[in-house]
Amino acid sequence: MLKYRPEIDGLRTIAVMSVILFHAGFEFISGGFLGVDVFFVISGFLITSLILQELEEGRFSLFNFYERRVRRIAPALAVVLLVSVPFAWWLLSEDQLINYSQSLVATTFFASNVLFWLESGYFDTAAELKPLLHTWSLAVEEQYYVIFPLLLSLFSAKKAWRILGLISFLLIVSLIAANHYSASYHSLTFFLLPFRAWELLIGALLASLMFYQHLPKLSVAWHNLLSLIGLFAIVGSILLFGEHTPTPSFYTLIPTVGTALIILSAVNGTLVNTLLRRVPFVLIGKLSYSLYLWHQPVFALAKAYSLRALTNIDYLVLILVVFLLSAVTYQFVEQPFRNRQKVSSPRLLVFYVLTSIATVAIGLYGHFNVKVADRLQLQQEVLQLPSAFMGIEHRGRNCSFPSIKEDDVCVLAGKKVEPRSLFILGDSQSRVLSGALWQDKTLYSELVDLSASGCPFLLDLSIYEGAAQNPQCTPEYQQLRLDFIKQFESEYKVVVVSAHWLHYGYDDAVDNGVGGISAERHIKAATGLNQSSEQVRANFKTALANSIKKLTQVADRVVLVYPSYSNGWSPVERARKLVRLYPEKHATSKALFNALAIPQAAINQQTADFEQFVESSLSTYSNLTLINSKQITCRPDSDVCIAGEDGQFLFTDELHLSAAGNQKLVKVIAKRLAE
């Protein structure tokens, strides 16, 4: 049995509270997600110490090891999963519920990290409404502990250098891989075990060095210094790192090595030990697992229920709820199940099997039986819900994001008698616009699709999402797009260029003035990371001006659609919530669309600087036509911007116009082209 170290519970407190406060949106703790990295090191240290001790004593058993893991992890997790089910069924929309059901199954099998990697990035807005998103870290740990004890059990505990060599080798390989791929494949490295194993292995290496006494003996003064360095490394990282910090990477060595230094040197008599052994730190540390389990479901489901953005006061109340739930779970679930005298192995097995069957059955039921409705039933009418247009399908492939080098670009025939090659160029805004343009074949003799989601036409800039660089949308790809238009044989070329421009050059956090707040997406067009907002904006404007200039030189006419704005919420999801919670108030489409309207002043605040730049700096080209897309939804005779009219939604989500919205936009484009 390992000697209990209360300072490690104190360290857990720092880890769990940083995660909770980060997910609650407190801006001062921008690197709070690193609490998970601290947990990984602690876990690697404690579990490896236990395994090595049992190996040396000749009593290590894989069965006993995995039973202890089940006792530690499964009961509280099962309770949280099952309690969250009825609330998820009540509060989540159909597509969110399908996602939740899938995550319920994946979490039961400790594979949710793979599911969330396949779905999206950790910092996506949609991630805030995933009640089980946080279980990715549990999945990483359990996958690690399926493999690591097996490897250690192959060695005798007396063969120290073999064990140290194995751990060191795996640690270095995992760390180098994580650092190498984190910039280009951020979600991959964030969620998957091969790129996270090194953090657990730091704890394992420290445990091995301490177990085999391969570390020098240090004075209390040295322990004081090292543990203080460790504490400052963790706290500094939590306060100073952010979504733009590549994680996991060499940067993550700062908090993880800091954690190792505290475990190593926060011995009795040191300042850090005295701090972390304080009763509040130890008590919260004991609750840390339950706190971690409860916080994300409580936060996500509260957001799903609320019709406005949650405030700091709201989150403080929710954190109190999380503490109460965690105290009950710790006392009546965690503690009894860890005690073999209270819960025998057969009873544990029955509990684990039955709860696993229940969560998997519920998850499979939701996956196969919940359908995303294409209609919204109001009390007095039925509304058709729009679906996102994912791109033109032509000859067995999606035309968006073409492989230009392989000359795999969709060229679609139109019905215009006079020659007119119409190029659609930009990011997902141009992709959704391409569908409406494609339908109006009188506008072109041939339509050329150069749309690419997440890839606006900005020469000489790369696209970054957080710390990850888009590996497809590169300056080289942008040049290929321009060269393709230049070399395309046509008597008359028209380029329609569209994008959600505000994403790439501006801090695009949005407050719509009526309760809708969308977080900064951390998507930037830049020459590199770590540029200030002012540098990003200046470079963005320069690149856009240069890009438009080059287009006017290779095309007979260029149509720039701008600015594209954010609603601060998805009008469709908002409508579903309003009808679900308050059906009487939203019995007609007119009442519903009135509730979805946003003050024009809030939208103008988003777009004013960019609109001024476009209209003052880009309007000098004789063959450039400027079309402000706000005219579709923000009428000059009204003080609001609408999300729907005449029984039709004009948006599919927070950012993108629906088919109905884009058809209105195409009519404006057609009218301007006819001038």
Side-chain angles (χ1 to χ4, degrees):
M1 180 67 69
L2 293 177
K3 181 182 177 182
Y4 172 63
R5 294 180 56 182
E7 68 274 11
I8 290 182
D9 272 331
L11 190 54
R12 286 190 174 115
T13 295
I14 295 174
V16 75
M17 291 310 300
S18 67
V19 172
I20 290 173
L21 293 174
F22 172 75
H23 285 155
F26 288 93
E27 294 181 358
F28 73 91
I29 198 156
S30 58
F33 55 89
L34 294 167
V36 172
D37 305 71
V38 174
F39 274 128
F40 282 157
V41 177
I42 294 172
S43 177
F45 171 79
L46 292 175
I47 299 302
T48 305
S49 298
L50 185 62
I51 292 174
L52 290 176
Q53 180 178 308
E54 292 186 348
L55 281 173
E56 184 180 53
E57 295 170 358
R59 58 185 182 88
F60 177 74
S61 160
L62 286 173
F63 176 84
N64 289 336
F65 174 81
Y66 292 127
E67 183 191 355
R68 283 197 303 268
R69 292 304 298 169
V70 170
R71 287 182 181 276
R72 171 75 173 121
I73 300 298
L77 177 61
V79 168
V80 172
L81 294 181
L82 292 172
V83 170
S84 71
V85 166
F87 294 96
W89 237 264
W90 172 39
L91 295 171
L92 299 181
S93 63
E94 290 93 340
D95 53 345
Q96 293 166 351
L97 189 55
I98 291 171
N99 175 274
Y100 168 80
S101 298
Q102 293 166 347
S103 65
L104 201 58
V105 176
T107 300
T108 304
F109 290 111
F110 296 103
S112 59
N113 60 327
V114 177
L115 174 68
F116 294 129
W117 163 57
L118 293 172
E119 287 177 344
S120 63
Y122 189 70
F123 300 108
D124 291 349
T125 303
E128 297 179 357
L129 293 174
K130 294 181 178 180
L132 303 181
L133 177 64
H134 63 319
T135 61
W136 73 269
S137 64
L138 301 182
V140 167
E141 276 201 52
E142 297 318 303
Q143 290 161 16
Y144 173 85
Y145 289 124
V146 167
I147 301 169
F148 185 69
L150 290 172
L151 291 176
L152 281 191
S153 65
L154 297 176
F155 296 91
S156 166
K158 296 179 180 179
K159 297 181 178 178
W161 291 110
R162 289 189 181 182
I163 290 177
L164 289 169
L166 172 68
I167 293 173
S168 300
F169 172 75
L170 293 175
L171 189 160
I172 291 169
V173 170
S174 175
L175 173 59
I176 290 174
N179 187 73
H180 179 72
Y181 290 108
S182 64
S184 299
Y185 302 98
H186 183 240
S187 290
L188 176 82
T189 56
F190 192 94
F191 284 115
L192 298 191
L193 172 63
F195 311 99
R196 287 290 188 173
W198 67 271
E199 296 177 302
L200 290 135
L201 289 165
I202 282 181
L205 181 61
L206 175 63
S208 302
L209 290 170
M210 292 175 68
F211 181 80
Y212 293 115
Q213 299 181 353
H214 286 329
L215 293 171
K217 292 186 177 180
L218 301 174
S219 65
V220 173
W222 270 106
H223 280 307
N224 245 325
L225 176 63
L226 292 176
S227 59
L228 282 170
I229 291 173
L231 184 61
F232 282 120
I234 294 172
V235 174
S237 301
I238 289 169
L239 296 179
L240 299 176
F241 284 13
E243 283 89 340
H244 290 293
T245 307
T247 306
S249 69
F250 289 157
Y251 287 97
T252 326
L253 282 169
I254 297 173
T256 51
V257 171
T259 304
L261 287 176
I262 289 178
I263 295 172
L264 171 67
S265 291
V267 297
N268 290 337
T270 60
L271 293 172
V272 174
N273 179 278
T274 302
L275 172 66
L276 296 181
R277 291 171 66 102
R278 297 286 184 185
V279 172
F281 277 91
V282 174
L283 287 179
I284 294 173
K286 288 180 180 295
L287 297 178
S288 61
Y289 178 55
S290 287
L291 287 168
Y292 185 79
L293 286 180
W294 278 113
H295 86 279
Q296 179 66 13
V298 169
F299 289 179
L301 293 170
K303 289 173 188 173
Y305 175 76
S306 178
L307 291 176
R308 58 172 176 77
L310 299 179
T311 65
N312 287 347
I313 298 298
D314 293 328
Y315 275 114
L316 290 175
V317 173
L318 292 175
I319 289 171
L320 178 60
V321 171
V322 168
F323 266 89
L324 292 173
L325 291 170
S326 300
V328 172
T329 305
Y330 177 77
Q331 183 66 35
F332 297 105
V333 180
E334 285 194 69
Q335 288 290 85
F337 273 93
R338 289 186 200 177
N339 188 336
R340 282 190 173 88
Q341 302 303 316
K342 291 185 177 180
V343 179
S344 64
S345 296
R347 290 177 65 190
L348 173 69
L349 178 63
V350 170
F351 175 86
Y352 181 57
V353 170
L354 290 180
T355 54
S356 297
I357 290 173
T359 52
V360 169
I362 294 167
L364 291 176
Y365 176 85
H367 173 72
F368 288 109
N369 291 280
V370 176
K371 306 297 180 186
V372 178
D374 59 358
R375 297 180 181 184
L376 186 60
Q377 179 67 57
L378 311 184
Q379 288 190 347
Q380 297 183 26
E381 59 184 293
V382 178
L383 283 182
Q384 188 73 29
L385 294 176
S387 57
F389 182 71
M390 302 310 295
I392 298 170
E393 296 291 334
H394 180 63
R395 294 180 179 176
R397 65 170 291 264
N398 189 293
C399 292
S400 188
F401 230 127
S403 300
I404 300 173
K405 275 187 178 181
E406 286 74 35
D407 199 27
D408 189 17
V409 178
C410 290
V411 181
L412 308 161
K415 295 182 178 179
K416 187 171 179 61
V417 177
E418 301 83 6
R420 179 193 280 171
S421 300
L422 184 63
F423 297 82
I424 180 69
L425 178 64
D427 64 4
S428 58
Q429 295 288 349
S430 67
R431 185 198 72 218
V432 298
L433 178 58
S434 70
L437 286 170
W438 183 36
Q439 289 178 347
D440 192 350
K441 292 181 169 51
T442 61
L443 283 177
Y444 55 88
S445 56
E446 52 191 354
L447 177 67
V448 184
D449 191 347
L450 293 175
S451 66
S453 295
C455 192
F457 183 66
L458 291 167
L459 293 169
D460 303 320
L461 296 183
S462 298
I463 305 301
Y464 293 89
E465 182 174 357
Q469 182 178 351
N470 187 324
Q472 294 178 290
C473 188
T474 61
E476 293 75 20
Y477 186 78
Q478 304 288 25
Q479 190 62 47
L480 285 173
R481 291 163 115 178
L482 181 65
D483 292 343
F484 185 90
I485 296 170
K486 181 179 180 179
Q487 296 163 12
F488 192 88
E489 294 185 5
S490 174
E491 294 182 33
Y492 193 82
K493 302 176 186 177
V494 177
V495 179
V496 178
V497 57
S498 173
H500 188 72
W501 302 109
L502 301 179
H503 263 346
Y504 306 103
Y506 292 78
D507 296 327
D508 63 347
V510 171
D511 183 346
N512 68 13
V514 284
I517 297 178
S518 62
E520 163 71 33
R521 286 174 176 76
H522 303 284
I523 300 173
K524 293 290 175 280
T527 55
L529 285 173
N530 302 319
Q531 293 183 332
S532 68
S533 297
E534 292 73 21
Q535 288 175 311
V536 168
R537 186 176 302 184
N539 291 339
F540 163 76
K541 290 179 177 179
T542 300
L544 179 58
N546 181 49
S547 301
I548 296 300
K549 178 182 177 181
K550 293 291 180 66
L551 285 175
T552 60
Q553 293 171 350
V554 301
D556 298 284
R557 193 161 181 183
V558 177
V559 177
L560 174 62
V561 181
Y562 73 104
S564 178
Y565 65 84
S566 166
N567 283 281
W569 55 43
S570 165
V572 174
E573 291 303 319
R574 178 78 171 180
R576 285 172 167 163
K577 183 186 290 188
L578 289 171
V579 172
R580 186 167 64 249
L581 297 178
Y582 305 103
E584 296 83 6
K585 292 182 180 180
H586 309 96
T588 65
S589 60
K590 182 178 180 180
L592 182 61
F593 289 148
N594 283 341
L596 296 174
I598 298 169
Q600 278 204 39
I603 302 302
N604 292 338
Q605 188 174 0
Q606 282 186 59
T607 62
D609 182 82
F610 181 63
E611 288 173 305
Q612 183 180 11
F613 162 72
V614 169
E615 290 155 15
S616 63
S617 302
L618 303 181
S619 59
T620 57
Y621 301 104
S622 59
N623 61 336
L624 175 64
T625 299
L626 300 177
I627 295 180
N628 192 317
S629 60
K630 281 165 59 179
Q631 64 186 284
I632 306 301
T633 53
C634 305
R635 309 290 164 73
D637 59 347
S638 173
D639 60 356
V640 297
C641 295
I642 61 175
E645 63 180 356
D646 301 327
Q648 291 184 309
F649 282 91
L650 297 179
F651 290 88
T652 58
D653 55 28
E654 184 179 336
L655 305 171
H656 298 94
L657 289 173
S658 65
N662 276 304
Q663 286 164 6
K664 292 178 183 291
L665 181 56
V666 167
K667 288 180 180 179
V668 176
I669 294 172
K671 182 178 179 180
R672 297 296 301 276
L673 289 178
E675 295 174 354

